[in-house]
Amino acid sequence: MSADAAGLRPDYAARRGALRSLLVENEIDGLLVTDLINIRYLTGFTGSNAALLVSSWDSHGAEEHTVIGTDGRYRTQVAEQVPDLRAEIVRASTRRVVELAGEWQVGRVGYESHVVTVDEHRGFEELGTGLELVATPGLVEQLRTIKDAYEVDRLRTACAVGDAALATLLARGALRPGRTERQVARDLEWAMFEHGGEAVAFQTIVAAGANSAVPHHRPTDAVLAAGDFVKLDFGAVVGGYHSDMTRTLVLGQPSDWQREVYALVQESQRAGREALRPGVPVADVDAAARAVIDAAGHGALFVHGLGHGVGLRIHEAPGIAKAGTGTLLSGVAVTVEPGVYFPGRGGVRIEDTLVVREGGPELLTRTSKDLTVVE
């Protein structure tokens, strides 16, 4: 069911309210937001030029002293998408928003130091606004980690698009010996559009034969052949939210080594999924999946982390890896994607997108994880 059909809407004012609570905790009077994805999360604005000042003053004046800036190309769009905030229409939108913060004597203003360049920061200081500029990285991303009902609905729909696209690809016989990786990739992407995808989530991976041993192989004119593993890693975007799924199939009857490595990765992936619980350290989730592959003697062939957060970006917090920090929270959307790769021979990765829940994760990518044999 779509978000609109379910009556779900993003509550941007509530999101800004949650951000204000974080600002108060950090003794910040306002936050200058220049990351466009964070601006979208907080306001719904999707233009390519914007800056946002979120004031943390008490509730009676907070929204009054919250302002979005953009240029004349988006005058109509910002009025439609952000009707509840003051909009400043000027090409140098970030400069104007900083000037307003100075006029309002906001005081300590945080800025997204992981986004703002050295030159941009120098430019803020040269405005002479009297503001105290404080590096404040990752606050909006902290909020974005836990998905609300609207966001999970969008993720669920994007994952359903991916499931339907793969089913369509197989039903049309588009995955067969003699075709190239590029041809299969284009067909899979087109199928995602046919099923309601608004964009592809990232460059689609189609890796056949020995190329399946390259974790992020890009499709080439390599020709699929009988006996090949074919690794498909792909996703769709719906309402700005990304899906991510990997399935590894075999063309024709699999050999013994293919069955063995597939079963190993399937068991590792199951262990990783089952470890997803609120309060569990992300490093422990990685360890649960990695232990299966280590026990089989192939630990050196699992060369990447187990997964990552997913949402308005394809890669978000948290990172699920050996060196990952923090613990899982209910409502976090993540991937679980172990892989084993034999250089020059072939490899297997199996990936799902899930939402962490009490009592067990919600699986969003529903395509079977049993070994699919394409005759």
Side-chain angles (χ1 to χ4, degrees), residues 103 143 151 158 168-169 173 201 217 222 253 276 331 351:
E103 292 174 16
L143 295 177
E151 294 179 288
T168 295
L169 184 82
H217 172 75
Q253 287 302 310
L276 293 175
E351 175 188 23

Side-chain angles (χ1 to χ4, degrees), residues 112-178:
E112 297 180 305
S113 54
H114 58 303
V115 176
V116 172
T117 67
V118 172
D119 285 347
E120 286 170 336
H121 182 264
R122 183 182 300 116
F124 299 159
E125 292 184 324
E126 290 174 353
L127 289 175
T129 58
L131 299 170
E132 180 185 353
L133 297 173
V134 182
T136 316
L139 288 186
V140 183
E141 287 84 353
Q142 182 178 333
L143 295 177
R144 283 172 42 204
T145 300
I146 299 177
K147 271 53 180 183
D148 59 29
Y150 173 86
E151 294 179 288
V152 173
D153 182 272
R154 298 292 79 195
L155 288 168
R156 193 181 291 122
T157 303
C159 288
V161 168
D163 285 327
L166 179 53
T168 295
L169 184 82
L170 295 174
R172 289 174 176 170
L175 193 67
R176 63 179 186 271

Side-chain angles (χ1 to χ4, degrees), residues 260-323:
E260 290 171 4
V261 68
Y262 192 92
L264 176 63
V265 175
Q266 188 176 29
E267 174 61 19
S268 171
Q269 209 258 358
R270 181 197 61 76
R273 296 196 322 270
E274 292 182 353
L276 293 175
R277 293 288 191 281
V280 175
V282 295
D284 288 359
V285 180
D286 180 275
R290 198 170 297 275
V292 175
I293 295 173
D294 286 343
H298 295 312
L301 302 179
F302 181 6
V303 296
H304 52 72
L306 180 64
H308 55 85
V310 63
L312 284 169
R313 284 195 170 96
I314 190 59
H315 290 101
E316 297 189 348
I320 304 179
K322 285 182 179 180

Side-chain angles (χ1 to χ4, degrees), residues 213-237:
V214 180
H216 277 188
H217 172 75
R218 295 183 177 184
T220 68
D221 289 326
V223 177
L224 280 60
D228 279 353
F229 268 142
V230 182
K231 183 179 67 195
L232 307 171
D233 188 346
F234 60 100
V237 178

Side-chain angles (χ1 to χ4, degrees), residues 327-352:
T327 60
L328 293 174
L329 300 172
S330 182
V332 172
V334 296
T335 67
V336 174
E337 49 182 301
V340 172
Y341 312 94
F342 292 91
R345 192 177 189 189
V348 174
R349 181 164 66 250
I350 303 172
E351 175 188 23
D352 284 316

Side-chain angles (χ1 to χ4, degrees), residues 8-259:
L8 298 173
R9 296 288 190 280
D11 190 340
Y12 298 116
R15 292 176 181 178
R16 294 193 295 271
L19 176 60
R20 289 188 183 99
S21 296
L22 286 180
L23 295 179
V24 170
E25 289 176 17
N26 287 274
E27 300 181 339
I28 300 296
D29 300 312
L31 180 67
L32 174 65
V33 184
T34 51
D35 182 284
L36 290 173
I37 294 296
N38 288 341
I39 291 172
R40 177 174 185 163
Y41 177 79
L42 293 168
T43 69
F45 183 66
T46 59
S48 66
N49 175 31
L52 175 71
L53 174 70
V54 178
S55 168
S56 64
W57 295 353
D58 60 29
S59 59
H60 73 271
E63 289 286 76
E64 179 183 347
H65 292 97
T66 293
V67 60
I68 185 170
T70 187
D71 65 68
R73 295 172 296 167
Y74 299 112
R75 183 184 300 273
T76 300
Q77 182 176 331
V78 75
E80 292 175 348
Q81 292 183 328
V82 198
D84 54 340
L85 290 183
R86 171 175 173 171
E88 290 286 315
I89 309 299
V90 58
R91 183 66 184 176
S93 56
T94 303
R95 177 188 178 96
R96 177 56 183 152
V97 166
V98 173
E99 288 174 341
L100 278 175
E103 292 174 16
W104 292 335
Q105 298 181 337
V106 172
R108 301 187 81 228
V109 174
Y111 65 94
E112 297 180 305
S113 54
H114 58 303
V115 176
V116 172
T117 67
V118 172
D119 285 347
E120 286 170 336
H121 182 264
R122 183 182 300 116
F124 299 159
E125 292 184 324
E126 290 174 353
L127 289 175
T129 58
L131 299 170
E132 180 185 353
L133 297 173
V134 182
T136 316
L139 288 186
V140 183
E141 287 84 353
Q142 182 178 333
L143 295 177
R144 283 172 42 204
T145 300
I146 299 177
K147 271 53 180 183
D148 59 29
Y150 173 86
E151 294 179 288
V152 173
D153 182 272
R154 298 292 79 195
L155 288 168
R156 193 181 291 122
T157 303
C159 288
V161 168
D163 285 327
L166 179 53
T168 295
L169 184 82
L170 295 174
R172 289 174 176 170
L175 193 67
R176 63 179 186 271
R179 304 201 76 215
T180 69
E181 293 171 338
R182 281 198 179 98
Q183 288 172 326
V184 174
R186 297 296 84 77
D187 286 348
L188 181 54
E189 290 172 347
W190 181 245
M192 286 190 280
F193 286 112
E194 288 182 304
H195 287 285
E198 299 163 8
V200 295
F202 50 90
Q203 184 174 6
T204 297
I205 294 173
V206 177
N211 290 337
S212 63
V214 180
H216 277 188
H217 172 75
R218 295 183 177 184
T220 68
D221 289 326
V223 177
L224 280 60
D228 279 353
F229 268 142
V230 182
K231 183 179 67 195
L232 307 171
D233 188 346
F234 60 100
V237 178
V238 174
Y241 287 83
H242 298 68
S243 68
D244 198 355
M245 179 170 71
T246 304
R247 294 293 185 267
T248 304
L249 308 88
V250 65
L251 299 182
Q253 287 302 310
S255 63
D256 289 344
W257 81 269
Q258 289 175 318
R259 289 187 183 278

